[in-house]
Amino acid sequence: MEFLYGKIHRATVTDANLEYVGSITLDKDLMDASGIMLNQKVEILDINNGERFCTYVIEGKRGSGTVCLNGAAARKVQKGDKVIIVAYASMSTEEYKNFSPKIVHVDENNKIIKA
């Protein structure tokens, strides 16, 4: 079964780059705090417009606050939108009993306020 693995709650989109090949660029600090890994599939939930879509993660500069949607995904968001970034993992019910998802809350500059 798939379970919640990690989440970055109410991050602010810092850029939308149509010219990049695809993905979401995330500040390395946000990746570490949420447990979200390089190339991991994530679901993006745009609070402003209701869009829900999947992409994969690439690493951004540590401490930059970067949350940048790239390629086709850039058409689904606008700079300044609030998004929830969710990663899931496949595991058995037994494995999940010993697992706690990492949920990260950020401020308007994507700085961690609670992890």
Side-chain angles (χ1 to χ4, degrees):
M1 289 192 281
E2 284 191 314
F3 293 94
L4 177 65
Y5 179 80
K7 177 172 96 167
I8 303 168
H9 190 71
R10 294 187 64 86
T12 302
V13 174
T14 58
D15 200 4
N17 182 354
L18 282 171
E19 302 307 316
Y20 197 83
V21 178
S23 67
I24 183 170
T25 304
L26 291 177
D27 177 328
K28 179 69 169 129
D29 285 342
L30 296 177
M31 291 173 63
D32 290 348
S34 66
I36 296 173
M37 294 178 256
L38 178 68
N39 295 317
Q40 186 171 10
K41 179 181 176 182
V42 291
E43 187 172 16
I44 310 301
L45 317 172
D46 190 310
I47 295 167
N48 294 79
N49 64 23
E51 287 282 357
R52 296 175 72 103
F53 57 93
C54 295
T55 190
Y56 64 93
V57 176
I58 61 174
E59 186 178 305
K61 182 179 175 187
R62 186 178 293 283
S64 65
T66 299
V67 175
C68 177
L69 279 300
N70 303 301
R75 293 222 181 259
K76 298 197 172 272
V77 300
Q78 291 189 18
K79 186 175 178 179
D81 281 2
K82 294 289 184 185
V83 294
I84 301 169
I85 303 158
V86 183
Y88 302 96
S90 294
M91 58 185 90
S92 70
T93 306
E94 284 303 311
E95 289 171 313
Y96 191 72
K97 285 180 183 178
N98 297 314
F99 179 81
S100 295
K102 294 180 179 181
I103 299 174
V104 176
H105 295 262
V106 296
D107 66 13
E108 62 279 350
N109 297 308
N110 297 329
K111 300 301 178 198
I112 299 167
I113 55 175
K114 183 179 175 188

